[in-house]
Amino acid sequence: MATNEERKQKTSQKILDVATRCFMHHGVKATSIAEIAKMAGVSQVTLYKHYKNKETLARAAVIKLIDDGYRQDLKILADTTLTFKEKMGRLMQQSIAISKEIHPDFYQYIVREFSGQHGTNDAMRAYEAQRGQFWGALLQQGRDTGEIDSTISNSAVLTYLEMFVQFFVAQSQKNDPVAEKKLREIGPELDQLFFYGLIGH
């Protein structure tokens, strides 16, 4: 029999799962707390007991996407039935698929959340907390199979990645909708340049 704490955690997770889907498909602005509560099968009063407002819920959704993304990426890296090149292809395809699925409004919210424009650095901290483990594992596999040049250090790759992230953050701070739209459109191409650049293709 589930304890009160377990039931609370289950309810909180259900609310977050529903909210994340809503934000992904409709954006943050067009999604109401009432809609999320109804789809999650809880009252608005119950929802507010778990998340004090929509921004808190949206921030939790961003962190959930980061955590889920790393979990899926590590699962691909652990798949012994795939070659390293196939893993790189899967990682790239997954990244592109997710970026295409995100509603433009939520995409802007995510980038601004990364830049701290909403008042916290929680999203960036969540991203950085797992970055080293994932990229360290990927680079080591690449070196072990001879697909990645052993002279390319982890520090160099992480620095390049940081430049990539900071560029997007800097662009978001300009609050230029046209520039943000353009960056989102070329995102898949940038993914290809990064992933295939690592293995020299």
Side-chain angles (χ1 to χ4, degrees), residues 6-195:
E6 288 171 339
R7 284 194 290 270
K8 287 179 182 178
Q9 290 178 357
K10 185 176 180 180
T11 299
S12 182
Q13 188 60 52
K14 186 174 183 180
I15 292 169
L16 180 56
D17 289 343
V18 168
T20 302
R21 289 198 299 271
C22 288
F23 296 147
M24 288 283 286
H25 297 152
H26 308 298
V28 177
K29 292 177 183 177
T31 300
S32 69
I33 286 294
E35 178 185 4
I36 294 170
K38 182 178 180 180
M39 292 181 66
V42 300
S43 68
Q44 292 185 55
V45 172
T46 296
L47 187 150
Y48 282 121
K49 287 180 179 178
H50 294 271
Y51 301 96
K52 67 179 182 180
N53 52 42
K54 186 164 73 170
E55 184 162 328
T56 301
L57 190 48
R59 179 171 299 118
V62 173
I63 294 173
K64 170 179 163 55
L65 287 178
I66 293 170
D67 291 342
D68 288 350
Y70 274 125
R71 191 177 301 110
Q72 291 166 6
D73 289 347
L74 287 169
K75 185 177 179 180
I76 291 173
L77 284 184
D79 190 340
T80 57
T81 67
L82 300 174
T83 66
F84 184 73
K85 285 185 179 180
E86 288 172 337
K87 291 177 182 180
M88 292 292 283
R90 292 277 182 92
L91 290 169
M92 182 191 70
Q93 291 166 8
Q94 181 169 274
S95 178
I96 291 174
I98 291 173
S99 65
K100 286 183 176 179
E101 186 182 349
I102 297 175
H103 188 281
D105 173 69
F106 191 37
Y107 175 84
Q108 291 178 357
Y109 185 93
I110 290 170
V111 175
R112 289 171 182 168
E113 186 69 25
F114 263 81
S115 70
Q117 291 183 53
H118 297 145
T120 78
N121 293 314
D122 291 352
M124 183 62 81
R125 283 197 294 267
Y127 163 74
E128 291 178 340
Q130 302 178 72
R131 180 184 59 182
Q133 177 191 359
F134 168 71
W135 288 103
L138 182 148
L139 293 170
Q140 190 56 54
Q141 282 194 27
R143 294 188 189 102
D144 291 344
T145 59
E147 300 289 349
I148 292 180
D149 190 334
S150 61
T151 63
I152 299 177
S153 68
N154 287 18
S155 295
V157 173
L158 291 176
T159 298
Y160 183 86
L161 188 64
E162 179 66 15
M163 291 166 60
F164 189 82
V165 171
Q166 290 304 322
F167 172 75
F168 273 82
V169 168
Q171 292 301 306
S172 76
Q173 292 173 336
K174 295 179 181 179
N175 292 316
D176 183 345
V178 175
E180 288 184 3
K181 182 174 182 291
K182 181 63 177 177
L183 280 176
R184 191 167 191 272
E185 289 173 349
I186 65 173
E189 298 172 54
L190 295 175
D191 282 336
Q192 289 186 40
L193 286 170
F194 182 77
F195 281 111

